[in-house]
Amino acid sequence: IAAEEGPGLKVAFDCLLNSYATSPLKFRFLELYRVMEALFLADVKSRLVANFDAEPSASLSEATEALKSELRQITALAEPHKDLFEECWTQLNAIKNTNRFAAALFRRIESKKIAGNGKWQTGAALIYQARCSIVHAGEKDMIFENFPDSDEAIKTVIPPVERAALRMLGITLG
């Protein structure tokens, strides 16, 4: 998914800039995740507009389907950056025996049967579930604040998530 010109790109850049000025760490992580969400939405809109005149019904249906699953969205975003999402899996897998939050993330994706076929897909699912634990504080959901070591787990994935957000924006660091 490539960054397109327009409001979606501005939102993505704003989220990136916010990520450098935001604390606590969980909100920095969310801002980086929002970069990816904004780019995904911009891509869906771009494809909808590009195909609408030729096939209005099909393009609306495709856009609606794309928006149904946030997990599919993050997986689609992750695919061109498999190495970085595999790194997320590697970082969290390395601490899952000593970090309760990381262990809970793995249990959660296994219980919901959302682990991917490869490490990169599972890494994307872990990032998605970490995001959910921060924004969904329902009694049936995993709640970020209920884990005393959640910040340590997020700290391990911030570097690859940040590099993924930058790469998705077309920014590469030497």
Side-chain angles (χ1 to χ4, degrees):
I1 294 176
E4 300 291 330
E5 295 294 324
L9 186 59
K10 182 185 179 334
V11 170
F13 272 112
D14 287 348
C15 291
L16 177 66
L17 292 175
N18 287 340
S19 77
Y20 295 115
T22 301
S23 64
L25 192 63
K26 68 180 183 177
F27 294 132
R28 180 159 192 259
F29 172 83
L30 278 182
E31 287 296 324
L32 292 169
Y33 191 94
R34 288 181 62 214
V35 168
M36 298 180 216
E37 281 183 323
L39 292 173
F40 177 80
L41 291 173
D43 183 64
V44 169
K45 182 179 178 183
S46 172
R47 285 186 283 122
L48 172 65
V49 171
N51 299 326
F52 187 81
D53 289 337
E55 299 180 33
S57 183
S59 61
L60 282 172
S61 178
E62 181 185 317
T64 301
E65 191 60 34
L67 297 174
K68 282 184 180 175
S69 168
E70 287 188 54
L71 179 58
R72 276 191 303 209
Q73 293 173 22
I74 187 71
T75 303
L77 286 166
E79 191 166 8
H81 312 285
K82 292 177 184 175
D83 58 324
L84 295 172
F85 286 87
E86 185 169 326
E87 186 178 336
C88 292
W89 178 89
T90 300
Q91 295 294 346
L92 291 170
N93 188 60
I95 63 170
K96 75 177 182 185
N97 292 328
T98 57
N99 184 287
R100 286 188 241 161
F101 182 71
L105 286 173
F106 276 94
R107 279 194 310 275
R108 185 74 172 171
I109 65 169
E110 287 165 14
S111 72
K112 293 182 101 182
K113 297 180 180 12
I114 59 173
N117 296 328
K119 291 178 184 176
W120 73 271
Q121 289 172 311
T122 302
L126 290 164
I127 294 305
Y128 169 72
Q129 193 58 55
R131 173 240 178 236
C132 290
S133 76
I134 296 168
V135 300
H136 300 165
E139 60 186 63
K140 291 183 179 179
D141 287 318
M142 213 179 115
I143 302 170
F144 186 83
E145 290 79 10
N146 286 352
F147 297 87
D149 54 6
S150 53
D151 273 348
E152 277 76 56
I154 291 297
K155 195 179 291 184
T156 69
V157 295
I158 285 277
V161 169
E162 181 179 40
R163 287 193 311 276
L166 288 168
R167 229 192 258 172
M168 289 174 194
L169 283 165
I171 302 168
T172 54
L173 304 174

